[in-house]
Amino acid sequence: MTVRTPDPDPDGDFGFEEVPPSQANPAWLSDIELEEARRRLPMLYVEGIPVRTDGYGQVTEIGVLLRSTPLGEITRTIVSGRVRYGETIRDALFRHVENDLGPMAFPLLPPQPAPFAVAEYFPIPGVSAFHDDRQHAVSLAYVVPVTGTCEPRQDALEVTWFSPEEAASDGLAAEMEGGRGTLIRQALAHLGLLR
């Protein structure tokens, strides 16, 4: 008779000996496994564009992250991250919003979120409006209202709030990494705010 015990939390205590996250949680890939998967398969991502609304539910501000890349470059981006094996889209989106904006952001996610766009990122520039030199990725993009205090974490340095007009500007689009300025414009069009 086999007995299955739950996998330990990759960020938690592993007991008597340290176990790498990839062995502790089968949904977690080691760096080598991730690189191999990226060379062979499209990766599934979720992306969230944080927004603030007024009392009538109209979007008044769009949040954009300022971040430092591993190469030391400063760019602008949105909430983004991979979906783990066995994780629902909603849970992945919530996890990445909390990871990037902090636990007090208080995102308002519906029970079954529907993306406003599907973006395809390619490692070869020019195939689509979106580029990621690490991989081919498919991303489900969402508008995420937040009601709390946003304090960026991980590699995000700050959250800058733009009016819809500022968010649609060519200047901001030029600062966005991987073509995400196009994604912000698609979100604004979806919300009826692109003029």
mmCIF file of all heavy atoms in Angstrom, residues 90 109-113:
data_model
loop_
_atom_site.group_PDB
_atom_site.id
_atom_site.type_symbol
_atom_site.label_atom_id
_atom_site.label_comp_id
_atom_site.label_asym_id
_atom_site.label_seq_id
_atom_site.Cartn_x
_atom_site.Cartn_y
_atom_site.Cartn_z
ATOM 1 N N ARG A 90 -7.261 31.949 -12.505
ATOM 2 C CA ARG A 90 -7.606 32.947 -11.486
ATOM 3 C C ARG A 90 -6.570 32.956 -10.371
ATOM 4 O O ARG A 90 -6.118 34.007 -9.926
ATOM 5 C CB ARG A 90 -8.994 32.669 -10.914
ATOM 6 C CG ARG A 90 -9.478 33.733 -9.953
ATOM 7 C CD ARG A 90 -10.873 33.395 -9.406
ATOM 8 N NE ARG A 90 -11.457 34.515 -8.708
ATOM 9 C CZ ARG A 90 -11.136 34.867 -7.464
ATOM 10 N NH1 ARG A 90 -10.236 34.187 -6.783
ATOM 11 N NH2 ARG A 90 -11.712 35.903 -6.904
ATOM 12 N N LEU A 109 -11.031 40.294 -8.446
ATOM 13 C CA LEU A 109 -11.099 39.321 -9.531
ATOM 14 C C LEU A 109 -12.450 38.629 -9.508
ATOM 15 O O LEU A 109 -12.879 38.153 -8.460
ATOM 16 C CB LEU A 109 -9.994 38.263 -9.380
ATOM 17 C CG LEU A 109 -8.558 38.749 -9.458
ATOM 18 C CD1 LEU A 109 -7.602 37.585 -9.234
ATOM 19 C CD2 LEU A 109 -8.295 39.413 -10.788
ATOM 20 N N PRO A 110 -13.115 38.535 -10.660
ATOM 21 C CA PRO A 110 -14.373 37.794 -10.685
ATOM 22 C C PRO A 110 -14.109 36.301 -10.512
ATOM 23 O O PRO A 110 -12.989 35.839 -10.695
ATOM 24 C CB PRO A 110 -14.940 38.111 -12.073
ATOM 25 C CG PRO A 110 -13.758 38.468 -12.893
ATOM 26 C CD PRO A 110 -12.763 39.082 -11.952
ATOM 27 N N PRO A 111 -15.138 35.530 -10.180
ATOM 28 C CA PRO A 111 -14.934 34.081 -10.009
ATOM 29 C C PRO A 111 -14.358 33.400 -11.250
ATOM 30 O O PRO A 111 -13.540 32.510 -11.140
ATOM 31 C CB PRO A 111 -16.339 33.547 -9.700
ATOM 32 C CG PRO A 111 -17.079 34.723 -9.155
ATOM 33 C CD PRO A 111 -16.498 35.927 -9.833
ATOM 34 N N GLN A 112 -14.775 33.824 -12.425
ATOM 35 C CA GLN A 112 -14.268 33.268 -13.680
ATOM 36 C C GLN A 112 -13.770 34.418 -14.560
ATOM 37 O O GLN A 112 -14.491 34.889 -15.426
ATOM 38 C CB GLN A 112 -15.372 32.486 -14.412
ATOM 39 C CG GLN A 112 -15.863 31.269 -13.681
ATOM 40 C CD GLN A 112 -14.789 30.192 -13.579
ATOM 41 O OE1 GLN A 112 -14.013 29.981 -14.501
ATOM 42 N NE2 GLN A 112 -14.727 29.528 -12.446
ATOM 43 N N PRO A 113 -12.539 34.887 -14.361
ATOM 44 C CA PRO A 113 -12.062 36.019 -15.150
ATOM 45 C C PRO A 113 -11.953 35.663 -16.629
ATOM 46 O O PRO A 113 -11.582 34.546 -16.986
ATOM 47 C CB PRO A 113 -10.693 36.343 -14.557
ATOM 48 C CG PRO A 113 -10.322 35.203 -13.693
ATOM 49 C CD PRO A 113 -11.544 34.409 -13.403
#
